[in-house]
Amino acid sequence: MQNLFINIRKAEEKDIPVIMQIERLCFDMNRWKKENIIYEMKENPVANLWVIELSIDNEEGYRVVGFSDYWHTFDSATICQIAVHPYLQRKQLGSALMDEIYNDCYAKKVKNITLEVRVSNEKAINFYKKHGFKIETIKPRYYDNGEDAYYMILKVT
Ligand SMILES: CC(C)(COP(=O)(O)OP(=O)(O)OC[C@H]1O[C@@H](n2cnc3c(N)ncnc32)[C@H](O)[C@@H]1OP(=O)(O)O)[C@@H](O)C(=O)NCCC(=O)NCCS
């Protein structure tokens, strides 16, 4: 019987191509450019850009299958991005990333985690609700294409 290993770690420069690939597969609009990822990785002091990687039996090393980015400022945090490769969605990998974000925020004494999500993105809205986020308000025409966003909040401490 083979064992599946999951690891979450800080993103490194070598991860940029796979982060861009997963992003391209997951989002039609407002995609990150390489410079945006490098900025989040190396320059933005409040950013926490992580990848989740899988390995079968630890034999062939790990393969990155998802990523997340959240900003931590004083006692609040904002999830900027979270995505899992479409072939591997609904296998609790996004939840593993979200649990890691939550635990990190708890350790940093963050009060609230906030985020914006497209009102049409039902699977992400369900995902966030499953993790305890509540819709606080609607931000009209928040996105470039005029779509509204739900502003969601999770109380941590
Ligand atoms: C949102 C996303 C990160 C969730 O990651 P995931 O690994 O697929 O989610 P999980 O398997 O951890 O799902 C946890 C819960 O979220 C909800 N959920 C996840 N996918 C869902 C779907 N397609 N439909 C309905 N509910 C869903 C369910 O409640 C699920 O629990 P369950 O499987 O026990 O019913 C993933 O769907 C994704 O990458 N989407 C594209 C990128 C995106 O839209 N990101 C959010 C931008 S704001």
Side-chain angles (χ1 to χ4, degrees):
M1 167 119 163
Q2 292 184 307
N3 290 311
L4 188 63
F5 295 87
I6 293 176
N7 185 41
I8 294 174
R9 62 167 171 80
K10 215 166 169 289
E12 298 168 25
E13 205 154 346
K14 65 176 182 191
D15 303 316
I16 291 174
V18 70
I19 290 174
M20 290 182 77
Q21 185 201 21
I22 295 168
E23 238 231 336
R24 224 170 292 129
L25 293 168
C26 286
F27 300 104
D28 299 329
M29 290 168 276
N30 300 101
R31 290 189 191 131
W32 274 343
K33 297 192 178 72
K34 190 176 175 187
E35 306 84 83
N36 303 131
I37 302 176
I38 291 173
Y39 178 74
E40 292 300 281
M41 204 176 270
K42 296 187 165 180
E43 291 164 44
N44 185 349
V46 301
N48 296 269
L49 178 58
W50 298 340
V51 291
I52 183 164
E53 52 186 8
L54 297 183
S55 171
I56 297 169
D57 271 351
N58 263 336
E59 276 170 1
E60 291 177 30
Y62 281 86
R63 194 195 152 119
V64 171
V65 294
F67 66 94
S68 62
D69 186 28
Y70 90 87
W71 289 359
H72 170 219
T73 41
F74 304 102
D75 61 359
S76 74
T78 302
I79 296 180
C80 307
Q81 204 62 291
I82 184 163
V84 171
H85 192 293
Y87 285 163
L88 290 162
Q89 287 179 8
R90 207 77 195 253
K91 297 190 184 330
Q92 307 304 315
L93 296 170
S95 291
L97 276 168
M98 184 60 90
D99 290 346
E100 197 76 9
I101 292 171
Y102 181 90
N103 290 338
D104 199 44
C105 286
Y106 186 83
K108 289 171 176 162
K109 299 191 174 19
V110 162
K111 286 199 169 75
N112 296 307
I113 306 175
T114 66
L115 59 87
E116 281 88 16
V117 56
R118 288 179 186 275
V119 293
S120 64
N121 194 347
E122 280 181 38
K123 68 181 167 186
I125 295 164
N126 278 333
F127 171 77
Y128 294 133
K129 282 184 176 168
K130 175 94 188 247
H131 285 275
F133 283 83
K134 303 256 184 303
I135 295 173
E136 181 79 3
T137 186
I138 293 186
K139 294 191 177 181
R141 303 183 62 79
Y142 180 80
Y143 294 100
D144 289 349
N145 70 340
E147 186 171 352
D148 298 347
Y150 285 131
Y151 180 65
M152 299 183 80
I153 296 187
L154 172 66
K155 300 219 174 303
V156 181
T157 54

